[in-house]
């Protein structure tokens, strides 16, 4: 009897999880065994990170558990360190190998799907590694929410005007989706929270957005980008275009226009880069470090290897200009996953492959509660209609009915009750209180 084919999916993000989801639906158990490897046991739906940071959605509802969603697959919580595609072998370090002190394990495969996603792209800015805060994971989003509320607590309690000024100034670097949506949602939340502080008014808060190019939100088009710029500046947000962060040593943000801002909050959202594991595959990469792919989403020059999402340079067959490539966004990622799964199954069954072809529909962006911009199929929306479309679109795209229902329920409750403005910063260090009691004698024994 023929052994089932071994399909290895590297990455449990948008492309990886959706590919595995489709594979478990279309492949029979005697056809293939699908293994998914990711450092986390869940997929993060990143478009909801700004709302999680603002408290509109609980953090546990913006992640999709891989084991529950993929019961027909084997899920391995670990990190792929290297891939020998000629030998059809991946080297994986797991939590168990770390505890055992043993070397990484090898996973053998017949078909390889590479979807490790991307990591934050940082620059050698002095002080950035010491004081910068990222915004790519749910942990970073919730950590940033706690941090912003803690800074308001510091400002409310201090008598030092310098500390107060730095605590109430929040600098965001990067004017793309992540930067603008994170800033807009957190600014909305912070100004709401200010009403509960006796000595902080919304006008005391200072939000600064630093963007190296001459526009923000290029994905929604020039007109809607200009509207978003006016909307942010109308909310007293200081938007600096054609400006770069040059230093943030000692918690002082120094900009290329000569400005200096003492700040205790510096959020870095200035782009992403392909995951470093791609360089350890020996597969062909483009100048940006992404895998070169054909229209079928097969890796160029490598049989039985497939890729999509941020990790792949995929030709856009619907574009008018020659040589155009698909944008690395969630809209393409979800659809590419379906084509990858179809083609992996077709390859195993000896059937023709399908080209990936999707006409870009447009983009939507949130600018805080009841505010947004959108350009969809040539139509331009702003304000409440764009915000509603943003929520409706992403509610439809987040995987599983379970998560859709939970997010919708939370939005409904948020509309009926007031915002939650509690900082749970201690969650990041759960043993701190016990260590303090055990080691410092903070709680003296009764005599």
């Amino acid at each position: 009897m023929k052994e089932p084919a071994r399909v290895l999916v590297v990455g449990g993000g948008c492309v990886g999880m959706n590919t595995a989801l489709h594979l478990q639906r279309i492949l029979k158990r005697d056809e293939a065994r699908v293994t998914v490897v990711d450092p986390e046991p869940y997929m993060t739906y990143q478009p909801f990170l700004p709302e999680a940071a603002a408290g509109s959605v609980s953090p546990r509802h913006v992640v999709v558990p891989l084991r529950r969603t993929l019961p027909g697959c084997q899920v391995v919580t670990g990190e792929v360190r290297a891939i020998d595609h000629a030998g059809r072998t991946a080297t994986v370090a797991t939590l168990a190998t770390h505890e055992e002190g043993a070397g990484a394990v090898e996973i053998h495969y017949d078909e390889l799907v590479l979807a490790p996603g991307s990591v934050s792209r940082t620059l050698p800015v002095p002080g950035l590694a010491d004081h910068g805060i990222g915004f790519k994971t749910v942990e970073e989003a919730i950590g940033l929410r706690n941090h912003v509320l803690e800074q308001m607590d510091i400002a409310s309690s201090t008598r030092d005007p310098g500390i107060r000024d730095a605590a109430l100034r929040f600098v965001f670097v990067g004017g793309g989706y992540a930067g603008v949506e994170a800033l807009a949602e957190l600014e909305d939340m912070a100004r709401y929270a200010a009403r509960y502080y006796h000595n902080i008014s919304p006008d005391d808060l200072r939000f600064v957005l630093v963007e190296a190019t001459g526009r923000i939100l290029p994905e929604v088009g020039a007109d809607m980008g200009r509207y978003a710029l006016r909307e942010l500046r109308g909310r007293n947000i200081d938007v600096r275009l054609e400006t770069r962060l040059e230093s943030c040593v000692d918690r002082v943000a120094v900009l290329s226009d000569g400005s200096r801002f003492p700040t205790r909050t510096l959020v870095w959202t200035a782009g992403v880069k392909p995951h470093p594991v791609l360089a350890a595959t020996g597969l062909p990469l483009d100048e940006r470090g992404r895998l070169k792919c054909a229209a079928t989403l097969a890796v160029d020059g490598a049989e039985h290897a497939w890729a999509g999402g941020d990790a792949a340079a995929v030709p856009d067959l619907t574009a008018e200009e020659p040589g155009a490539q698909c944008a690395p966004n969630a809209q393409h990622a979800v659809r590419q996953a379906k084509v990858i799964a179809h083609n992996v199954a077709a390859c195993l069954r000896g059937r023709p492959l399908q080209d990936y072809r999707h006409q870009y529909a447009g983009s939507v962006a949130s600018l805080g509660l009841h505010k947004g911009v959108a350009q969809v199929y040539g139509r331009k929306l702003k304000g409440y209609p764009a915000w509603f479309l943003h929520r409706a679109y992403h509610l439809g795209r987040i995987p599983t009915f379970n998560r859709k229902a939970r997010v919708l329920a939370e939005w409904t409750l948020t509309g009926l009750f007031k915002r939650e403005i509690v900082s749970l910063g201690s969650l990041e260090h759960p043993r701190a209180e016990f260590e303090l009691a055990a080691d410092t004698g903070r709680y003296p024994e009764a005599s």
Side-chain angles (χ1 to χ4, degrees):
M1 184 177 177
K2 183 180 179 181
E3 286 289 322
R6 299 163 297 180
V7 180
L8 175 63
V9 180
V10 178
C14 189
V15 174
M17 194 207 72
N18 280 287
T19 298
L21 191 62
H22 290 299
L23 284 172
Q24 75 175 7
R25 290 173 180 167
I26 62 180
L27 290 176
K28 298 177 182 178
R29 288 188 177 272
D30 60 354
E31 281 188 285
R33 294 174 182 169
V34 180
T35 301
V36 180
V37 180
D38 192 89
E40 304 294 346
Y42 54 79
M43 185 275 276
T44 302
Y45 191 71
Q46 293 188 356
F48 280 157
L49 288 184
E51 294 210 39
S56 299
V57 179
S58 296
R60 66 183 183 277
H61 295 158
V62 303
V63 298
V64 181
L66 295 178
R67 288 187 172 87
R68 179 194 291 179
T69 309
L70 304 172
C73 304
Q74 179 187 6
V75 176
V76 176
T77 303
E79 184 178 359
V80 175
R81 296 289 177 82
I83 292 175
D84 175 14
H85 189 60
R88 302 291 193 270
T89 304
T91 304
V92 181
T94 68
L95 294 176
T97 59
H98 175 74
E99 290 294 328
E100 294 167 357
V105 299
E106 291 188 343
I107 296 179
H108 301 278
Y109 63 84
D110 300 301
E111 299 286 338
L112 173 67
V113 178
L114 283 163
S118 57
V119 297
S120 295
R121 176 176 59 86
T122 59
L123 299 176
V125 176
L128 179 61
D130 298 320
H131 305 298
I133 302 172
F135 196 78
K136 191 165 175 57
T137 67
V138 68
E139 294 85 359
E140 288 174 329
I142 303 310
L144 179 57
R145 169 188 169 79
N146 293 334
H147 176 82
V148 168
L149 292 171
E150 286 171 359
Q151 298 312 304
M152 296 180 71
D153 288 336
I154 291 171
S156 177
S157 304
T158 186
R159 295 183 179 180
D160 187 318
I163 293 177
R164 176 185 170 92
D165 181 60
L168 294 179
R169 179 174 284 109
F170 309 94
V171 178
F172 288 69
V173 182
Y177 269 130
V180 171
E181 290 193 331
L183 180 148
E185 291 282 356
L186 284 164
E187 186 265 352
D188 224 12
M189 180 206 71
R191 293 194 187 282
Y192 176 86
R195 69 180 66 182
Y196 297 101
Y197 291 83
H198 71 282
N199 57 353
I200 297 178
S201 74
D203 292 337
D204 294 331
L205 303 170
R206 296 286 183 268
F207 282 81
V208 182
L209 177 63
V210 180
E211 169 54 38
T213 68
R215 58 191 292 194
I216 63 171
L217 291 177
E219 300 90 347
V220 298
D223 290 343
M224 290 297 95
R226 285 191 290 268
Y227 168 80
L229 180 61
R230 292 195 302 271
E231 167 71 20
L232 295 180
R233 285 176 170 169
R235 288 156 60 176
N236 202 30
I237 295 172
D238 185 0
V239 183
R240 303 290 182 101
L241 301 179
E242 297 182 339
T243 306
R244 297 177 306 279
L245 176 70
E246 294 194 338
S247 171
C248 53
V249 175
D250 297 329
R251 289 183 166 176
V252 176
V254 180
L255 307 185
S256 59
D257 62 5
S259 302
R260 297 173 61 89
F261 296 124
T263 178
R264 297 173 61 88
T265 308
L266 179 73
V267 185
W268 182 267
T269 62
V272 296
K273 62 182 179 180
H275 197 286
V277 73
L278 299 183
T281 64
L283 297 173
L285 306 178
D286 69 359
E287 65 281 357
R288 296 172 59 184
R290 300 177 300 172
L291 292 161
K292 295 180 180 178
C293 291
T296 59
L297 301 176
V299 178
D300 281 346
E303 294 183 348
H304 307 291
W306 317 82
D310 294 346
V314 180
D316 187 351
L317 300 183
T318 66
E320 296 179 358
E321 62 273 16
Q325 295 179 341
C326 296
N329 56 35
Q331 185 178 148
H332 282 298
V334 171
R335 291 170 173 83
Q336 287 173 358
K338 187 174 183 179
V339 174
I340 292 173
H342 174 275
N343 285 346
V344 169
C347 185
L348 294 176
R349 295 167 179 171
R351 297 177 181 173
L353 303 182
Q354 172 185 337
D355 285 344
Y356 174 70
R357 186 186 300 270
H358 170 64
Q359 183 70 45
Y360 186 59
S363 299
V364 292
S366 170
L367 299 178
L369 190 63
H370 299 159
K371 299 176 283 290
V373 290
Q375 181 166 284
V376 181
Y377 293 116
R379 296 192 62 182
K380 301 170 184 176
L381 300 172
K382 57 187 179 182
Y384 185 89
W387 171 83
F388 183 82
L389 181 62
H390 174 271
R391 281 199 162 184
Y393 175 81
H394 287 299
L395 182 65
R397 288 300 174 188
I398 189 169
T400 78
F401 176 79
N402 179 297
R403 282 300 178 268
K404 296 180 198 295
R406 290 178 182 272
V407 170
L408 183 59
E410 286 204 306
W411 283 343
T412 303
L413 292 173
T414 301
L416 295 174
F417 300 101
K418 295 181 179 180
R419 281 180 185 259
E420 291 289 349
I421 57 166
V422 178
S423 168
L424 296 176
S426 59
L427 290 177
E428 299 162 29
H429 307 285
R431 296 191 67 248
E433 185 71 11
F434 181 80
E435 290 173 351
L436 189 64
D439 297 339
T440 68
R442 175 181 173 183
Y443 304 121
E445 295 181 2
S447 57

